[in-house]
Amino acid sequence: MTEHYFEDYSVGQTFRGGPLPALTAEQIKRFAAEYDPQPFHLDEEAAKKTFFAGLAASGWHTAALTMRMFVDSDVKPVGGYVGAGGEELRWPRPTRPGDVLRIEIQILELRPSRSRPEVGIVKAQITTLNQRDEIVQVTRPVMLVPRRE
Amino acid sequence: MTEHYFEDYSVGQTFRGGPLPALTAEQIKRFAAEYDPQPFHLDEEAAKKTFFAGLAASGWHTAALTMRMFVDSDVKPVGGYVGAGGEELRWPRPTRPGDVLRIEIQILELRPSRSRPEVGIVKAQITTLNQRDEIVQVTRPVMLVPRRE
């Protein structure tokens, strides 16, 4: 797989990632037990009486699964996916057991770094969708990517 | 522990969370193997030659650990921590093996939901720090919290 320098990307360029295997209730509960132990992420029965009205994945689980698909995508910056953070993170609806997630990636902005001439700053949008093409997450990562010279 | 309604919070109010036990290299590699399999998160030797110049936790691992401390904090909204997303996510420096993380939380903004009169929108800032009081993450979660009436 070809790795890309900053100069290889263009604004508006798109990539895809995933799909992952269907997410299981067990995976949802295992992540939640460690990082987000709340009833609606841990127990089907308890979840029925909550805001989510049923078992839902932690938003941070959806974010971690999105990162996995991003790393496995063809975006492939030279030196790896080095994130400085993101400008947006939205979960319009929860990820549920059985969901098959995939991502759509769009390059939004490219600019040289002022402080570090050897890298460029790549802003992208990653939209995470389920098997019904419903959006479960939108994030706008900011990455540092090496320049050719 | 008292649970809080929307009306119980005030702008400028602060909370603390953590610290967690020191993060191990094993934990960093285990998270990365599943969600962010890149050399600088998986292998000490390979990491030396990368941007991070040594093993570093995935930013999403730092985010997940931050969520854990947030859930265990005294913020405790009625009905749980229901996040709609966040307005910012920054990783000014990586989390390293041995780091002892804690969080500082500040309530930034409170407003009723226009579309759902039974909930209010709480915007907060969570700053995640290591044992040297260096900032490893800043995030601004947006939560839905039930109103008293």
Side-chain angles (χ1 to χ4, degrees):
Chain A
M1 191 66 66
T2 316
E3 294 198 325
H4 300 105
Y5 284 92
F6 174 71
E7 288 81 1
D8 298 330
Y9 296 107
S10 56
V11 171
Q13 191 175 10
T14 59
F15 299 87
R16 287 170 173 268
L20 292 174
L23 192 66
T24 67
E26 272 317 303
Q27 289 173 300
I28 289 173
K29 294 176 195 178
R30 184 163 54 84
F31 184 97
E34 191 156 3
Y35 300 114
D36 193 350
Q38 303 196 80
F40 36 70
H41 301 320
L42 287 171
D43 184 275
E44 283 89 346
E45 273 307 307
K48 285 183 187 167
K49 296 182 287 280
T50 69
F51 176 87
F52 291 104
L55 194 71
S58 169
W60 299 104
H61 194 182
T62 300
L65 294 166
T66 296
M67 185 64 194
R68 177 60 195 246
M69 291 187 275
F70 192 38
V71 169
D72 291 342
S73 78
D74 293 345
V75 174
K76 296 244 177 307
V78 169
Y81 298 74
V82 175
E87 289 185 335
E88 190 182 7
L89 178 60
R90 281 193 297 123
W91 297 301
R93 63 176 59 70
T95 299
R96 301 286 190 177
D99 276 5
V100 175
L101 300 183
R102 64 183 180 87
I103 57 172
E104 296 181 352
I105 302 150
Q106 184 165 25
I107 305 297
L108 296 183
E109 193 183 328
L110 298 164
R111 64 175 176 79
S113 167
R114 265 170 235 144
S115 56
R116 305 190 47 204
E118 75 279 15
V119 300
I121 293 168
V122 177
K123 296 189 184 183
Q125 176 162 303
I126 306 178
T127 306
T128 311
L129 304 110
N130 64 23
Q131 67 280 13
R132 289 177 298 279
D133 292 331
E134 294 165 338
I135 296 173
V136 295
Q137 181 179 287
V138 179
T139 184
R140 294 193 166 182
V142 178
M143 289 187 297
L144 305 179
V145 180
R147 305 190 65 171
R148 256 187 213 285
E149 290 306 279
Chain B
M1 191 65 65
T2 316
E3 294 199 326
H4 300 105
Y5 284 92
F6 174 71
E7 288 81 1
D8 298 331
Y9 296 107
S10 56
V11 171
Q13 192 176 9
T14 60
F15 299 88
R16 287 170 173 267
L20 292 174
L23 192 66
T24 67
E26 271 319 302
Q27 289 172 301
I28 288 173
K29 294 176 195 178
R30 184 164 52 85
F31 184 98
E34 191 157 3
Y35 301 113
D36 193 350
Q38 303 196 80
F40 35 71
H41 301 319
L42 287 170
D43 184 275
E44 282 90 346
E45 273 308 306
K48 285 182 188 168
K49 296 181 288 279
T50 69
F51 176 87
F52 291 103
L55 194 70
S58 169
W60 300 103
H61 194 182
T62 301
L65 293 166
T66 296
M67 185 64 194
R68 177 60 196 247
M69 291 187 276
F70 192 37
V71 169
D72 291 342
S73 77
D74 294 345
V75 175
K76 296 243 177 307
V78 168
Y81 297 74
V82 175
E87 290 186 334
E88 190 182 5
L89 177 60
R90 282 193 296 122
W91 296 301
R93 64 175 58 70
T95 299
R96 301 286 189 176
D99 275 4
V100 175
L101 300 183
R102 64 184 181 86
I103 57 172
E104 296 181 352
I105 302 150
Q106 183 165 25
I107 305 298
L108 296 183
E109 192 183 326
L110 297 164
R111 63 175 177 80
S113 166
R114 264 171 235 143
S115 55
R116 306 190 48 206
E118 76 280 15
V119 300
I121 294 167
V122 177
K123 296 190 184 182
Q125 177 162 304
I126 306 178
T127 306
T128 310
L129 304 111
N130 64 24
Q131 67 280 11
R132 289 178 298 278
D133 292 330
E134 294 165 339
I135 296 172
V136 295
Q137 181 180 287
V138 178
T139 184
R140 294 193 165 181
V142 178
M143 288 188 297
L144 305 180
V145 179
R147 304 190 66 172
R148 256 187 213 284
E149 291 305 279

